[in-house]
Amino acid sequence: MNADNMKMRAQLKDGLLEVKVLISHPMETGRRKDDSDRLIPAHFVQLLTATWNGKIVLEAQWGTGISKNPYLTFYLQGAQVGDIVEVTWHDNLGESATQKIAVTQA
Amino acid sequence: MKRRDFLLGILTLATLAPIKVLAALWNKAAFESTRLQDASRHLQINAEIPSQLIEIVAPERAENGAIVQVEVRSHIPQTEAIAIFVENNPNPLIANFIFNNGAQPFVVTRIKMAENSEIKVVVKSAERYFTHSKNVIVLSNGCG
């Protein structure tokens, strides 16, 4: 999957950087059935990592309990306008995507 | 990202910071546990201390269990990780967030809830574990 499947925003608000991430992903639990009563295989994001200017700031391990089209907001202290935030996810079927953006002032 | 690049990335990280890599591996046993106590055990959580320094913002009543927005913030010094559990879900462990290098122990995300349940948060700080819970009434099963 490519980065079109991710939307990101990184804005400084009162000195704190707010990073919002929205990922297009089915987050199938493996317990749902399709119209023909067959189980839909599990398909979900397991790992999301975020870096700030190349340093790891957040590692998130996820299970199937994260909602479809996962949404995440996290916060960084000490960031400045122009800093680079990069987010990468990996799912249980080996798919992944990465996106990076520059920090802006809110 | 190609698998090879990912593996190379892991190798690079392994050289720089072996501990981080262990943390980066998905905890299969914990996520696949069907009981909260087993999931906790697989995360090596022990002796949980109740704490009001953990803030959980979630609706009292969730119309749709498929999308329940939860905000979790730890005011405990040196918070390293935040784990979110939904006790009555088929797999209670929802997420485990590990913070480094200036990340604030504060996340907002959306989770699935099968039925009325406690949302339980466990915060790791300097090898100690703190906990707080919030009950949510769920009007429609979100776990399909």
Side-chain angles (χ1 to χ4, degrees):
Chain A
M1 286 191 195
N2 60 39
D4 293 345
N5 295 335
M6 288 174 79
K7 286 197 175 75
M8 272 176 72
R9 197 179 77 183
Q11 287 189 323
L12 275 176
K13 292 179 175 174
D14 302 324
L16 196 61
L17 175 63
E18 179 189 78
V19 182
K20 287 181 185 266
V21 184
L22 189 61
I23 300 166
S24 293
H25 200 284
M27 297 301 285
E28 286 292 350
T29 60
R31 285 185 298 273
R32 267 174 13 105
K33 287 182 176 172
D34 65 15
D35 294 341
S36 317
D37 217 31
R38 283 175 304 216
L39 277 177
I40 302 170
H43 186 198
F44 61 101
V45 174
Q46 289 184 310
L47 193 64
L48 177 144
T49 55
T51 63
W52 164 34
N53 291 341
K55 289 183 301 188
I56 288 186
V57 286
L58 178 71
E59 292 165 282
Q61 295 183 36
W62 285 352
T64 54
I66 294 288
S67 300
K68 180 180 175 177
N69 298 330
Y71 170 81
L72 175 69
T73 303
F74 61 93
Y75 298 86
L76 300 177
Q77 189 75 55
Q80 295 183 343
V81 169
D83 285 358
I84 300 296
V85 177
E86 182 173 296
V87 171
T88 301
W89 59 258
H90 296 273
D91 72 19
N92 66 317
L93 300 182
E95 293 172 357
S96 67
T98 298
Q99 188 168 319
K100 58 179 161 188
I101 53 165
V103 171
T104 57
Q105 186 67 45
Chain B
M1 189 186 282
K2 289 189 183 116
R3 177 183 164 81
R4 190 184 60 182
D5 293 343
F6 175 50
L7 291 175
L8 282 174
I10 291 273
L11 283 175
T12 312
L13 283 172
T15 324
L16 296 174
I19 296 159
K20 297 268 165 59
V21 169
L22 288 178
L25 296 175
W26 194 66
N27 193 326
K28 184 177 165 69
F31 280 100
E32 290 183 354
S33 295
T34 55
R35 294 189 312 168
L36 191 146
Q37 68 213 65
D38 295 333
S40 294
R41 183 167 47 83
H42 288 300
L43 283 177
Q44 269 86 47
I45 292 170
N46 56 48
E48 297 164 15
I49 306 161
S51 173
Q52 297 299 318
L53 295 174
I54 301 168
E55 227 180 297
I56 305 172
V57 180
E60 299 291 328
R61 293 160 66 88
E63 294 286 337
N64 178 4
I67 307 174
V68 183
Q69 182 151 318
V70 183
E71 179 179 323
V72 179
R73 187 173 202 166
S74 168
H75 299 280
I76 296 165
Q78 298 172 339
T79 292
E80 297 157 28
I82 292 178
I84 302 175
F85 301 87
V86 173
E87 189 166 9
N88 294 344
N89 269 16
N91 298 117
L93 178 58
I94 304 291
N96 190 25
F97 296 94
I98 301 159
F99 306 94
N100 298 288
N101 296 318
Q104 301 298 291
F106 180 11
V107 290
V108 185
T109 190
R110 293 174 188 151
I111 68 174
K112 298 173 194 166
M113 294 185 71
E115 56 182 282
N116 300 350
S117 179
E118 296 277 316
I119 295 178
K120 179 182 176 183
V121 170
V122 177
V123 166
K124 183 184 183 196
S125 164
E127 299 306 317
R128 291 202 298 166
Y129 295 90
F130 300 87
T131 189
H132 188 59
S133 295
K134 179 180 167 63
N135 193 64
V136 176
I137 294 166
V138 176
L139 301 177
S140 76
N141 178 353
C143 285

